Every structure is written in C-alpha cells, then in structure tokens.
Amino acid sequence: MEKEIIGWIYEAAERIKSGLGDALKVDQKNGRTDLVTNVDKEVQDFIVGKINAYDPDALILGEENGQDQTPIDKGRVFVIDPIDGTLNFVMQQENFCIMIAVYEEGVGQLGFIYDVMQDELFWGGPKVGKVFLNKEELAAPANQSLSEGLIGMNAALYRKNLYHAQEIGQTSMGIRVLGCAGLDFIAIIKGTQIGYVSMLSPWDYAAGMIMMEQLGMTVIGKNQQPLSFRGREFFIGATQAAMADIQAFDKENL
Ligand code: IPD
Ligand code: CA
Ligand code: CA
C-alpha cells in the first residue's frame, strides 16, 4: 500500500508544481487569512480518485470538498490534507506539504508528509515499523527537554498566551512559527525541534502523530486527554522529556 500512496503523492506534487505559474482561484474560508484554492480542492479529488480505485471500501476524512466529518474508528480511513500551509502556498509558493495518513479500526498505521518544494518525503508507522526520509531510515531523535530545544508554536496561541504558551516558549530555546503543521512535524521527526504546540484539525496532525509515536515521542490534546479526531482542538506533540516539562506548567488546565 505504501508504494501506491507514495506514487499518488509524487503525482499530486507534479500537478501542484505545474500549476504554480497559473492564476490561482483563491477563496476565503473563515476570514481573509484562512484561504482555500482551486488547487487544494483538485489535489484532494485527485488523491480520493486514486484511493477509490485502489480500495473502494476505504473511507475518506479530508479537509476539503465536504469530507471533513468521517470518524476514524471503523474500517480503513485515509486522512488527507491536500495542501497543508495554504497561506504559504499562496504567499510564498513554498513551505507547504501534502499529508496522508492511514487508519485501520482506529489505529494509525502509516503517515506521509511531503515537503513539495524541498522534495523531501517523510513516511512510516507501525505498518512498516520504521520512519523514512525518502528511502533512508531515520533514527529516533534525542529525548531532549524543553529547555534544550526549539518549539513550534501557533501564533494566535502565543499572542493570547493560551495554555501557558508564552511560559512554554520562554523556557525553550525559542519558538518557531512556520505556518505549516507538516513542517513542524518534519522538524520534530528530524530532531531540529523538540515539540509543537498548536490548534489543529485531524488532517493536520494524523500523519505527523503516527510518525512521532513510531519514533517514541508523544502527542496529547486538551486537559492531557487523547486527541479526539473531531474538529479543531488544542494539540501538543513533543519528546517525552519536553512533554513532561510542558505538562508541569499546569497539570489541570493544559
Ligand atoms: C494550517 C497550517 C497552519 C496551522 C493551522 C492549519 P492549512 O493548515 O498547518 O500552520 O497553524 O492550524 O489549519 O489550512 O493550511 O491546511
Ligand atoms: Ca492543514
Ligand atoms: Ca489544507
């Protein structure tokens, strides 16, 4: 299955790159900085078409095209973010990813994050027992504490100091605001960030979470509960040491 998914991702990326020079049709979702383009919708349709041909019984949980309410706990579910970092895609024409995850009976089996313009594909999970960058197996990053590393941060959480975001940032070596959840997960998987604190939807965290857990790192939602896979929610992903440091800020209200 992984071979097929990697093929779809590379083909989708070619479509995105060949359309970069064309006029984008950009619409607002919830305000002027929350955008969706014709390319987001077309790429999701393209990937869903491939999934339907490969496994007609599989279910889809995808950000676009009204497919955003599927539960992940029954059957085989493909979770798709066709372009993660749409604002970067529109404004920078780089720093965006394609993300796909596969869940079977509620268990994450495979995650894929492709940094399109860097041509870097991170993929793996329990189904293959490893995580790879392209064809090379990755070692688990060092279990660094919060004070030893950089942490990815959602800008609004930091600005409003929700969930102790500023204290967490000030204890770390510094915050990074990348505008693309996939790039934050890539940084954690590579070991260049010790964590990520954000507000995310299931398609933002599914693939990254599978690979983080495969590498011995942890993710949680609000009130230190498991993520719900229903709508946008508070998210922390970190090395085990950094997670313990973050949780110590407020055992009750994180
Ligand atoms: C967004 C990006 C952003 C994160 C948001 C996501 P999108 O995804 O990953 O970095 O802060 O929470 O919604 O809308 O560009 O796919
Ligand atoms: Ca996203
Ligand atoms: Ca998206």
Side-chain angles (χ1 to χ4, degrees), residues 68-122:
D68 58 351
Q69 298 295 324
T70 310
I72 56 134
D73 44 341
K74 297 241 161 45
R76 178 182 285 165
V77 186
F78 284 80
V79 186
I80 309 168
D81 192 340
I83 297 183
D84 178 51
T86 296
L87 198 52
N88 289 353
F89 173 63
V90 172
M91 307 295 291
Q92 303 180 313
Q93 290 84 52
E94 61 180 350
N95 300 320
F96 60 88
C97 297
I98 298 171
M99 303 203 289
I100 299 179
V102 184
Y103 278 76
E104 286 174 355
E105 309 303 336
V107 179
Q109 294 293 350
L110 284 169
F112 302 80
I113 302 178
Y114 186 48
D115 179 337
V116 174
M117 303 312 280
Q118 292 295 324
D119 185 25
E120 286 189 334
L121 176 66
F122 294 79

Side-chain angles (χ1 to χ4, degrees), residues 142-217:
N143 186 21
Q144 288 181 309
S145 65
L146 180 60
S147 64
E148 291 177 299
L150 299 168
I151 188 155
M153 190 65 75
N154 171 283
L157 279 187
Y158 196 71
R159 190 175 63 245
K160 296 178 194 161
N161 196 21
L162 299 172
Y163 305 104
H164 305 272
Q166 292 179 6
E167 290 155 275
I168 293 168
Q170 279 149 19
T171 304
S172 75
M173 287 296 287
I175 64 161
R176 292 293 177 268
V177 181
L178 304 180
C180 170
L183 290 182
D184 281 290
F185 283 108
I186 286 176
I188 295 171
I189 291 163
K190 287 201 296 196
T192 58
Q193 275 179 202
I194 44 83
Y196 179 36
V197 178
S198 196
M199 295 293 299
L200 297 178
S201 299
W203 43 85
D204 297 316
Y205 59 69
M209 160 178 174
I210 290 170
M211 288 188 273
M212 280 187 67
E213 290 182 339
Q214 181 66 43
L215 293 171
M217 295 181 278

Side-chain angles (χ1 to χ4, degrees), residues 1 5 29 39 42 60 121 123 129 181 203 209 221:
M1 177 168 43
I5 296 171
K29 283 177 153 179
V39 183
E42 284 161 21
I60 307 292
L121 176 66
W123 66 280
W203 43 85
M209 160 178 174

Side-chain angles (χ1 to χ4, degrees), residues 211-251:
M211 288 188 273
M212 280 187 67
E213 290 182 339
Q214 181 66 43
L215 293 171
M217 295 181 278
T218 46
V219 304
I220 54 164
K222 195 170 181 319
N223 297 328
Q224 311 201 18
Q225 294 299 304
L227 291 151
S228 73
F229 284 81
R230 286 178 209 287
R232 205 168 165 79
E233 60 192 310
F234 179 60
F235 171 95
I236 312 174
T239 63
Q240 294 197 18
M243 182 66 86
D245 295 336
I246 292 168
Q247 288 178 326
F249 279 106
D250 186 339
K251 288 231 167 289

